Amino acid sequence: MTMRRDGALLVVGDVVTDVVARHRGPLAPGTDTAAAVRTLPGGAGANVACWAAHWGCADVRLLGRVGGDSAAWHERELVACGVRPLLVVDPEAPTGTVVCLVDTDASAERTFLTDSGASLRLAPRDWSEALLDGVVRLHLSGYLLFSATGRAVVAEALKSARARGVPVSLDPASAGFLVELGVDRFLALVDGVDVLLPSRDEACLLTGLPDAADAAAKLSRHIPLVVAKQGADGALVARDGAVLARVPARPAAPRDTTGAGDAFTGAFLAALLAGAEPQDAAAEGCRAGARAVERVGGRPRSAT
């Protein structure tokens, strides 16, 4: 799979405010647990866009919906990362907020408490086919599928992309939300996507298979290219019902795994846009993921 290099990547997805609380050991019910707390810009879609720009994609655009309470801050943070923000300001809902609980005694694994706010209110009226002008790849955050208006946006975006011959990738985003949506419904909604980037848990959930390689292979019978992210076990690249490559992870000393999958996806897409083959792009994704877990928050350091 080789992409033209003279075009933009458009990401459509969520922009949220992350409140990251890094604590040591289990939470103490009914009393205080000491933690280092930081407020950072986040959101799976926004993080992917920032990592793609950080990984060398010269023209990255992001369509998302935020509240007026923090729209200016989020726009500044995106610009600082080299992303062109196309933010819709919601007149009613505040920007989504995610509380990320990170246990520093474990493998820096995280637990999310999510208030989606304005991010799941992106609606078809916010989409225009003109958004694809100059775009050679469209990436959709799976979080869009977890609201009726978001699903309508996905349908419109896929229709527009298909009419223009623009390939589309999608990251399922959340195993927990997938359970609520339903596997059959998810697979129907992503018909027309050419690259799916699930986590290991998401791939297994979508197929009912316990082994990630078997799951990726099965998914690739429905979607042309499947790249399953496996964290410390690297990534799997599958096509036409078979695993083509097993890409090893890069060594890392985890501090916060928030956004590691987004880093993988952003770097993977940037590499595809630069003409890399899928297995080489997945290796770039693993490199970005390793870098992401060694810092707090879901984004790379900004250019400023």
Side-chain angles (χ1 to χ4, degrees):
M1 181 181 299
T2 302
M3 296 291 300
R4 299 199 313 269
R5 305 182 186 197
D6 56 344
L9 168 66
L10 172 63
V11 179
V12 182
D14 47 319
V15 183
V16 305
T17 300
D18 283 344
V19 179
V20 182
R22 301 177 71 243
H23 59 94
R24 186 176 298 279
L27 297 175
T31 186
D32 295 328
T33 299
V37 181
R38 293 179 64 187
T39 300
L40 300 166
N47 293 346
V48 167
C50 290
W51 280 102
H54 186 73
W55 227 252
C57 190
D59 187 350
V60 184
R61 309 168 189 178
L62 174 71
L63 173 65
R65 195 173 182 94
V66 296
D69 54 320
S70 58
W73 176 61
H74 277 291
E75 183 164 309
R76 287 195 303 271
E77 292 292 329
L78 289 165
V79 170
C81 280
V83 175
R84 187 196 304 185
L86 307 170
L87 300 184
V88 179
V89 179
D90 194 300
E92 299 176 7
T95 300
T97 301
V98 176
V99 178
C100 311
L101 304 177
V102 183
D103 187 348
T104 59
D105 268 356
S107 58
E109 194 53 72
R110 70 277 190 267
T111 300
F112 295 145
L113 302 174
T114 302
D115 178 353
S116 298
S119 65
L120 289 191
R121 288 164 56 90
L122 195 69
R125 65 179 177 274
D126 301 323
W127 173 262
S128 165
E129 188 174 331
L131 289 166
L132 292 176
D133 290 349
V135 170
V136 295
R137 175 166 285 283
L138 171 65
H139 178 73
L140 303 172
S141 169
Y143 280 109
L144 294 168
L145 298 175
F146 305 131
S147 72
T149 58
R151 289 190 288 274
V153 171
V154 168
E156 288 295 319
L158 283 170
K159 180 181 176 181
S160 299
R162 190 178 296 115
R164 292 199 178 200
V166 174
V168 183
S169 55
L170 184 139
D171 187 326
S174 168
F177 286 160
L178 273 177
V179 171
E180 297 179 26
L181 182 67
V183 170
D184 291 341
R185 192 178 186 192
F186 173 86
L187 292 175
L189 288 167
V190 301
D191 183 42
V193 167
D194 77 298
V195 180
L196 187 70
L197 295 125
S199 68
R200 171 168 36 207
D201 289 346
E202 291 157 1
C204 292
L205 174 64
L206 288 169
T207 59
L209 298 174
D211 180 77
D214 292 341
K218 183 176 180 179
L219 280 172
S220 71
R221 298 190 189 105
H222 302 278
I223 295 161
L225 181 66
V226 174
V227 182
K229 298 170 284 188
Q230 301 193 99
D233 292 325
L236 299 164
V237 180
R239 177 181 278 160
D240 298 326
V243 172
L244 300 181
R246 297 172 182 265
V247 181
R250 293 294 186 100
R255 295 183 64 208
D256 176 10
T257 58
T258 304
D262 302 333
F264 180 103
T265 297
F268 175 85
L269 295 175
L272 277 191
L273 283 163
E277 291 299 316
Q279 57 267 36
D280 297 323
E284 290 301 300
C286 287
R287 191 156 69 93
R291 188 175 299 178
V293 301
E294 292 185 330
R295 54 180 287 102
V296 176
R299 294 189 187 176
R301 296 188 187 280
S302 68
T304 56

